[in-house]
Amino acid sequence: RQRQMCIRDRIKGSGKTPEFVALDVVDLRRAGDHYLKLRKIYDSTVELMEKYLPDEVAFEAPFYGKNVQSMLKLGRAQGVAMAAVLSREVPVFEYAPRKIKLSITSAGSASKEQVAGMLMRMFDLKKMPRNLDATDGLAAAVCHFYQDGITRTKAGPNNWEDFIRKNPGRIK
């Protein structure tokens, strides 16, 4: 089973409010063996990168499970998706499942259905997706949107150019 990644530009933001852009999944059921699935993940990620031109990409970090083989497959899948993103020189961010759930529902133990329901209300989406992995990806993007705003607020200026422009008298 393929976990989802979500490209941040599937949501856009102005100020403190994210704006919904798209929601979908990569269907791997007909992709063949595991290696062909990895290729499809890579190619699909590159297509998404070219279509949406994101500034950043957020992933849900893998959680520890009891099935080692499933964890290895998940790690490989995320690795090729990350490689596709990084090949386009786009920064990658990862968030723990609990942090994502907390940022969306205020409950770190929320179910997939609760997260999906909150996202549906947040973006006024009329129809629940059949595959809740899509909303997992959207949740990672929203978590990153909120985290990015918090980080920038706490850190002050976003970079040295902003600092210099905003504080010309402090530079000698």
Side-chain angles (χ1 to χ4, degrees):
R1 186 170 144 193
Q2 164 60 27
R3 282 297 210 198
Q4 288 305 305
M5 62 92 191
C6 186
I7 296 179
R8 180 172 178 220
D9 263 11
R10 287 189 178 176
I11 60 169
K12 293 184 178 184
S14 55
K16 297 180 181 180
T17 307
E19 178 187 328
F20 176 80
V21 175
L23 179 69
D24 56 9
V25 296
V26 177
D27 187 357
L28 299 173
R29 289 178 292 193
R30 296 185 183 148
D33 70 19
H34 182 64
Y35 301 105
L36 292 175
K37 288 178 182 181
L38 293 176
R39 176 62 187 251
K40 180 159 175 112
I41 292 167
Y42 185 90
D43 291 343
S44 297
T45 304
V46 168
E47 283 179 34
L48 291 170
M49 298 296 295
E50 291 170 356
K51 181 176 180 179
Y52 292 105
L53 302 172
D55 295 320
E56 299 167 331
V57 176
F59 286 87
E60 179 181 355
F63 53 91
Y64 297 103
K66 294 179 182 176
N67 187 330
V68 176
Q69 287 300 315
S70 293
M71 289 299 298
L72 286 171
K73 288 179 181 179
L74 174 60
R76 289 174 178 168
Q78 285 187 323
V80 298
M82 287 178 184
V85 171
L86 293 170
S87 75
R88 300 301 191 258
E89 298 184 14
V90 174
V92 171
F93 297 84
E94 269 190 303
Y95 298 95
R98 181 171 175 75
K99 183 174 187 84
I100 292 171
K101 291 174 183 180
L102 275 168
S103 72
I104 304 301
T105 67
S106 299
S109 60
S111 68
K112 280 180 167 287
E113 292 78 13
Q114 289 171 314
V115 171
M118 186 62 77
L119 290 168
M120 299 295 292
R121 287 187 292 281
M122 182 184 295
F123 293 113
D124 195 29
L125 303 176
K126 304 299 180 205
K127 187 177 174 187
M128 178 80 75
R130 285 185 296 154
N131 186 333
L132 294 183
D133 286 334
T135 52
D136 286 351
L138 181 59
V142 172
C143 174
H144 180 65
F145 177 85
Y146 290 140
Q147 185 63 38
D148 195 39
I150 291 167
T151 303
R152 286 191 178 146
T153 301
K154 288 181 182 173
N158 294 331
N159 58 43
W160 283 110
E161 290 171 6
D162 285 348
F163 180 83
I164 292 167
R165 190 176 70 255
K166 292 175 183 175
N167 300 283
R170 295 182 69 184
I171 308 300
K172 295 188 184 213

